[in-house]
mmCIF file with all atom_site columns, all heavy atoms in Angstrom:
data_model
loop_
_atom_site.group_PDB
_atom_site.id
_atom_site.type_symbol
_atom_site.label_atom_id
_atom_site.label_alt_id
_atom_site.label_comp_id
_atom_site.label_asym_id
_atom_site.label_entity_id
_atom_site.label_seq_id
_atom_site.pdbx_PDB_ins_code
_atom_site.Cartn_x
_atom_site.Cartn_y
_atom_site.Cartn_z
_atom_site.occupancy
_atom_site.B_iso_or_equiv
_atom_site.pdbx_formal_charge
_atom_site.auth_seq_id
_atom_site.auth_comp_id
_atom_site.auth_asym_id
_atom_site.auth_atom_id
_atom_site.pdbx_PDB_model_num
ATOM 1   N N   . CYS A 1 22  ? -25.125 54.757 -24.334 1.00 40.00 ? 22  CYS A N   1
ATOM 2   C CA  . CYS A 1 22  ? -24.072 55.831 -23.987 1.00 40.00 ? 22  CYS A CA  1
ATOM 3   C C   . CYS A 1 22  ? -23.142 55.453 -22.980 1.00 40.00 ? 22  CYS A C   1
ATOM 4   O O   . CYS A 1 22  ? -22.209 56.206 -22.596 1.00 40.00 ? 22  CYS A O   1
ATOM 5   C CB  . CYS A 1 22  ? -24.801 57.154 -23.512 1.00 40.00 ? 22  CYS A CB  1
ATOM 6   S SG  . CYS A 1 22  ? -25.749 57.920 -24.810 1.00 40.00 ? 22  CYS A SG  1
ATOM 7   N N   . SER A 1 87  ? -42.794 22.021 -53.259 1.00 62.00 ? 87  SER A N   1
ATOM 8   C CA  . SER A 1 87  ? -42.296 20.999 -52.195 1.00 62.00 ? 87  SER A CA  1
ATOM 9   C C   . SER A 1 87  ? -42.710 19.679 -52.655 1.00 62.00 ? 87  SER A C   1
ATOM 10  O O   . SER A 1 87  ? -43.609 19.511 -53.510 1.00 62.00 ? 87  SER A O   1
ATOM 11  C CB  . SER A 1 87  ? -42.865 21.384 -50.801 1.00 62.00 ? 87  SER A CB  1
ATOM 12  O OG  . SER A 1 87  ? -44.205 21.275 -50.833 1.00 62.00 ? 87  SER A OG  1
ATOM 13  N N   . VAL A 1 133 ? -44.020 44.572 -30.185 1.00 90.00 ? 133 VAL A N   1
ATOM 14  C CA  . VAL A 1 133 ? -43.105 44.445 -29.107 1.00 90.00 ? 133 VAL A CA  1
ATOM 15  C C   . VAL A 1 133 ? -42.511 43.135 -29.122 1.00 90.00 ? 133 VAL A C   1
ATOM 16  O O   . VAL A 1 133 ? -43.303 42.052 -29.109 1.00 90.00 ? 133 VAL A O   1
ATOM 17  C CB  . VAL A 1 133 ? -43.765 44.834 -27.831 1.00 90.00 ? 133 VAL A CB  1
ATOM 18  C CG1 . VAL A 1 133 ? -42.774 44.648 -26.632 1.00 90.00 ? 133 VAL A CG1 1
ATOM 19  C CG2 . VAL A 1 133 ? -44.434 46.194 -27.876 1.00 90.00 ? 133 VAL A CG2 1
ATOM 20  N N   . TYR A 1 276 ? -69.755 38.061 -53.610 1.00 57.00 ? 276 TYR A N   1
ATOM 21  C CA  . TYR A 1 276 ? -68.354 37.515 -53.938 1.00 57.00 ? 276 TYR A CA  1
ATOM 22  C C   . TYR A 1 276 ? -68.154 36.136 -53.364 1.00 57.00 ? 276 TYR A C   1
ATOM 23  O O   . TYR A 1 276 ? -67.469 35.288 -53.942 1.00 57.00 ? 276 TYR A O   1
ATOM 24  C CB  . TYR A 1 276 ? -67.385 38.555 -53.190 1.00 57.00 ? 276 TYR A CB  1
ATOM 25  C CG  . TYR A 1 276 ? -65.911 38.246 -53.575 1.00 57.00 ? 276 TYR A CG  1
ATOM 26  C CD1 . TYR A 1 276 ? -65.336 38.699 -54.679 1.00 57.00 ? 276 TYR A CD1 1
ATOM 27  C CD2 . TYR A 1 276 ? -65.163 37.390 -52.775 1.00 57.00 ? 276 TYR A CD2 1
ATOM 28  C CE1 . TYR A 1 276 ? -64.012 38.483 -55.009 1.00 57.00 ? 276 TYR A CE1 1
ATOM 29  C CE2 . TYR A 1 276 ? -63.883 37.120 -53.039 1.00 57.00 ? 276 TYR A CE2 1
ATOM 30  C CZ  . TYR A 1 276 ? -63.329 37.722 -54.143 1.00 57.00 ? 276 TYR A CZ  1
ATOM 31  O OH  . TYR A 1 276 ? -62.029 37.377 -54.411 1.00 57.00 ? 276 TYR A OH  1
ATOM 32  N N   . LEU A 1 282 ? -72.245 26.385 -49.594 1.00 60.00 ? 282 LEU A N   1
ATOM 33  C CA  . LEU A 1 282 ? -73.374 25.469 -50.033 1.00 60.00 ? 282 LEU A CA  1
ATOM 34  C C   . LEU A 1 282 ? -74.600 25.906 -49.173 1.00 60.00 ? 282 LEU A C   1
ATOM 35  O O   . LEU A 1 282 ? -75.589 25.528 -49.597 1.00 60.00 ? 282 LEU A O   1
ATOM 36  C CB  . LEU A 1 282 ? -72.838 24.043 -49.779 1.00 60.00 ? 282 LEU A CB  1
ATOM 37  C CG  . LEU A 1 282 ? -71.592 23.614 -50.502 1.00 60.00 ? 282 LEU A CG  1
ATOM 38  C CD1 . LEU A 1 282 ? -71.322 22.194 -50.238 1.00 60.00 ? 282 LEU A CD1 1
ATOM 39  C CD2 . LEU A 1 282 ? -71.804 23.675 -51.957 1.00 60.00 ? 282 LEU A CD2 1
ATOM 40  N N   . GLY A 1 301 ? -33.425 6.950  -35.071 1.00 82.00 ? 301 GLY A N   1
ATOM 41  C CA  . GLY A 1 301 ? -32.534 6.609  -36.133 1.00 82.00 ? 301 GLY A CA  1
ATOM 42  C C   . GLY A 1 301 ? -31.091 6.326  -35.633 1.00 82.00 ? 301 GLY A C   1
ATOM 43  O O   . GLY A 1 301 ? -30.791 6.576  -34.494 1.00 82.00 ? 301 GLY A O   1
ATOM 44  N N   . ILE A 1 302 ? -30.269 5.906  -36.455 1.00 82.00 ? 302 ILE A N   1
ATOM 45  C CA  . ILE A 1 302 ? -28.862 5.805  -36.245 1.00 82.00 ? 302 ILE A CA  1
ATOM 46  C C   . ILE A 1 302 ? -28.042 6.281  -37.420 1.00 82.00 ? 302 ILE A C   1
ATOM 47  O O   . ILE A 1 302 ? -28.513 6.122  -38.518 1.00 82.00 ? 302 ILE A O   1
ATOM 48  C CB  . ILE A 1 302 ? -28.549 4.264  -36.008 1.00 82.00 ? 302 ILE A CB  1
ATOM 49  C CG1 . ILE A 1 302 ? -27.073 4.093  -35.651 1.00 82.00 ? 302 ILE A CG1 1
ATOM 50  C CG2 . ILE A 1 302 ? -28.919 3.449  -37.181 1.00 82.00 ? 302 ILE A CG2 1
ATOM 51  C CD1 . ILE A 1 302 ? -26.734 2.637  -35.245 1.00 82.00 ? 302 ILE A CD1 1
ATOM 52  N N   . HIS A 1 315 ? -14.935 9.614  -46.977 1.00 53.00 ? 315 HIS A N   1
ATOM 53  C CA  . HIS A 1 315 ? -15.613 8.801  -45.902 1.00 53.00 ? 315 HIS A CA  1
ATOM 54  C C   . HIS A 1 315 ? -17.095 8.586  -46.273 1.00 53.00 ? 315 HIS A C   1
ATOM 55  O O   . HIS A 1 315 ? -17.679 9.214  -47.093 1.00 53.00 ? 315 HIS A O   1
ATOM 56  C CB  . HIS A 1 315 ? -15.486 9.328  -44.608 1.00 53.00 ? 315 HIS A CB  1
ATOM 57  C CG  . HIS A 1 315 ? -16.211 10.600 -44.363 1.00 53.00 ? 315 HIS A CG  1
ATOM 58  N ND1 . HIS A 1 315 ? -15.696 11.824 -44.566 1.00 53.00 ? 315 HIS A ND1 1
ATOM 59  C CD2 . HIS A 1 315 ? -17.552 10.828 -43.909 1.00 53.00 ? 315 HIS A CD2 1
ATOM 60  C CE1 . HIS A 1 315 ? -16.689 12.729 -44.310 1.00 53.00 ? 315 HIS A CE1 1
ATOM 61  N NE2 . HIS A 1 315 ? -17.757 12.202 -44.009 1.00 53.00 ? 315 HIS A NE2 1
ATOM 62  N N   . ASN A 1 377 ? -16.346 21.532 -54.931 1.00 76.00 ? 377 ASN A N   1
ATOM 63  C CA  . ASN A 1 377 ? -15.818 22.563 -54.119 1.00 76.00 ? 377 ASN A CA  1
ATOM 64  C C   . ASN A 1 377 ? -14.630 23.157 -54.981 1.00 76.00 ? 377 ASN A C   1
ATOM 65  O O   . ASN A 1 377 ? -14.150 22.463 -55.906 1.00 76.00 ? 377 ASN A O   1
ATOM 66  C CB  . ASN A 1 377 ? -15.258 22.102 -52.742 1.00 76.00 ? 377 ASN A CB  1
ATOM 67  C CG  . ASN A 1 377 ? -16.390 21.496 -52.027 1.00 76.00 ? 377 ASN A CG  1
ATOM 68  O OD1 . ASN A 1 377 ? -17.553 21.964 -51.996 1.00 76.00 ? 377 ASN A OD1 1
ATOM 69  N ND2 . ASN A 1 377 ? -16.130 20.462 -51.219 1.00 76.00 ? 377 ASN A ND2 1
ATOM 70  N N   . GLN A 1 411 ? -66.224 17.735 -48.908 1.00 55.00 ? 411 GLN A N   1
ATOM 71  C CA  . GLN A 1 411 ? -65.643 17.203 -50.102 1.00 55.00 ? 411 GLN A CA  1
ATOM 72  C C   . GLN A 1 411 ? -65.018 15.814 -49.669 1.00 55.00 ? 411 GLN A C   1
ATOM 73  O O   . GLN A 1 411 ? -64.257 15.768 -48.747 1.00 55.00 ? 411 GLN A O   1
ATOM 74  C CB  . GLN A 1 411 ? -64.436 17.927 -50.614 1.00 55.00 ? 411 GLN A CB  1
ATOM 75  C CG  . GLN A 1 411 ? -63.640 17.479 -51.785 1.00 55.00 ? 411 GLN A CG  1
ATOM 76  C CD  . GLN A 1 411 ? -62.709 18.361 -52.373 1.00 55.00 ? 411 GLN A CD  1
ATOM 77  O OE1 . GLN A 1 411 ? -63.068 19.417 -52.886 1.00 55.00 ? 411 GLN A OE1 1
ATOM 78  N NE2 . GLN A 1 411 ? -61.472 18.075 -52.343 1.00 55.00 ? 411 GLN A NE2 1
ATOM 79  N N   . VAL A 1 455 ? -61.664 24.922 -54.701 1.00 80.00 ? 455 VAL A N   1
ATOM 80  C CA  . VAL A 1 455 ? -61.823 23.538 -54.429 1.00 80.00 ? 455 VAL A CA  1
ATOM 81  C C   . VAL A 1 455 ? -60.576 22.828 -54.837 1.00 80.00 ? 455 VAL A C   1
ATOM 82  O O   . VAL A 1 455 ? -59.989 23.020 -55.887 1.00 80.00 ? 455 VAL A O   1
ATOM 83  C CB  . VAL A 1 455 ? -63.014 22.990 -55.284 1.00 80.00 ? 455 VAL A CB  1
ATOM 84  C CG1 . VAL A 1 455 ? -63.248 21.455 -55.146 1.00 80.00 ? 455 VAL A CG1 1
ATOM 85  C CG2 . VAL A 1 455 ? -64.410 23.612 -54.818 1.00 80.00 ? 455 VAL A CG2 1
ATOM 86  N N   . ARG A 1 477 ? -16.773 48.880 -46.555 1.00 81.00 ? 477 ARG A N   1
ATOM 87  C CA  . ARG A 1 477 ? -17.144 49.365 -45.309 1.00 81.00 ? 477 ARG A CA  1
ATOM 88  C C   . ARG A 1 477 ? -18.181 50.439 -45.403 1.00 81.00 ? 477 ARG A C   1
ATOM 89  O O   . ARG A 1 477 ? -18.937 50.645 -44.340 1.00 81.00 ? 477 ARG A O   1
ATOM 90  C CB  . ARG A 1 477 ? -15.771 49.947 -44.665 1.00 81.00 ? 477 ARG A CB  1
ATOM 91  C CG  . ARG A 1 477 ? -15.962 50.458 -43.268 1.00 81.00 ? 477 ARG A CG  1
ATOM 92  C CD  . ARG A 1 477 ? -14.637 50.813 -42.679 1.00 81.00 ? 477 ARG A CD  1
ATOM 93  N NE  . ARG A 1 477 ? -14.654 51.198 -41.279 1.00 81.00 ? 477 ARG A NE  1
ATOM 94  C CZ  . ARG A 1 477 ? -13.630 51.515 -40.515 1.00 81.00 ? 477 ARG A CZ  1
ATOM 95  N NH1 . ARG A 1 477 ? -12.490 51.493 -41.109 1.00 81.00 ? 477 ARG A NH1 1
ATOM 96  N NH2 . ARG A 1 477 ? -13.847 51.811 -39.218 1.00 81.00 ? 477 ARG A NH2 1
ATOM 97  N N   . PHE A 1 522 ? -28.072 55.332 -44.529 1.00 91.00 ? 522 PHE A N   1
ATOM 98  C CA  . PHE A 1 522 ? -29.126 55.747 -45.533 1.00 91.00 ? 522 PHE A CA  1
ATOM 99  C C   . PHE A 1 522 ? -29.337 54.653 -46.536 1.00 91.00 ? 522 PHE A C   1
ATOM 100 O O   . PHE A 1 522 ? -28.318 54.044 -47.039 1.00 91.00 ? 522 PHE A O   1
ATOM 101 C CB  . PHE A 1 522 ? -28.840 57.093 -46.204 1.00 91.00 ? 522 PHE A CB  1
ATOM 102 C CG  . PHE A 1 522 ? -28.545 58.180 -45.282 1.00 91.00 ? 522 PHE A CG  1
ATOM 103 C CD1 . PHE A 1 522 ? -27.269 58.481 -44.826 1.00 91.00 ? 522 PHE A CD1 1
ATOM 104 C CD2 . PHE A 1 522 ? -29.695 59.009 -44.933 1.00 91.00 ? 522 PHE A CD2 1
ATOM 105 C CE1 . PHE A 1 522 ? -27.037 59.599 -43.886 1.00 91.00 ? 522 PHE A CE1 1
ATOM 106 C CE2 . PHE A 1 522 ? -29.390 60.045 -44.041 1.00 91.00 ? 522 PHE A CE2 1
ATOM 107 C CZ  . PHE A 1 522 ? -28.156 60.396 -43.644 1.00 91.00 ? 522 PHE A CZ  1
ATOM 108 N N   . ALA A 1 526 ? -36.048 48.360 -53.317 1.00 88.00 ? 526 ALA A N   1
ATOM 109 C CA  . ALA A 1 526 ? -37.095 48.438 -54.433 1.00 88.00 ? 526 ALA A CA  1
ATOM 110 C C   . ALA A 1 526 ? -37.428 46.993 -54.879 1.00 88.00 ? 526 ALA A C   1
ATOM 111 O O   . ALA A 1 526 ? -36.593 46.160 -54.909 1.00 88.00 ? 526 ALA A O   1
ATOM 112 C CB  . ALA A 1 526 ? -36.600 49.210 -55.577 1.00 88.00 ? 526 ALA A CB  1
ATOM 113 N N   . SER A 1 605 ? -34.330 48.840 -31.472 1.00 85.00 ? 605 SER A N   1
ATOM 114 C CA  . SER A 1 605 ? -33.719 47.550 -31.028 1.00 85.00 ? 605 SER A CA  1
ATOM 115 C C   . SER A 1 605 ? -32.571 47.775 -30.096 1.00 85.00 ? 605 SER A C   1
ATOM 116 O O   . SER A 1 605 ? -31.717 48.635 -30.379 1.00 85.00 ? 605 SER A O   1
ATOM 117 C CB  . SER A 1 605 ? -33.258 46.708 -32.151 1.00 85.00 ? 605 SER A CB  1
ATOM 118 O OG  . SER A 1 605 ? -32.561 45.486 -31.688 1.00 85.00 ? 605 SER A OG  1
#
Side-chain angles (χ1 to χ4, degrees):
C22 292
S87 61
V133 179
Y276 185 87
L282 299 180
I302 183 171
H315 68 270
N377 304 329
Q411 179 172 301
V455 175
R477 189 171 182 179
F522 299 92
S605 174

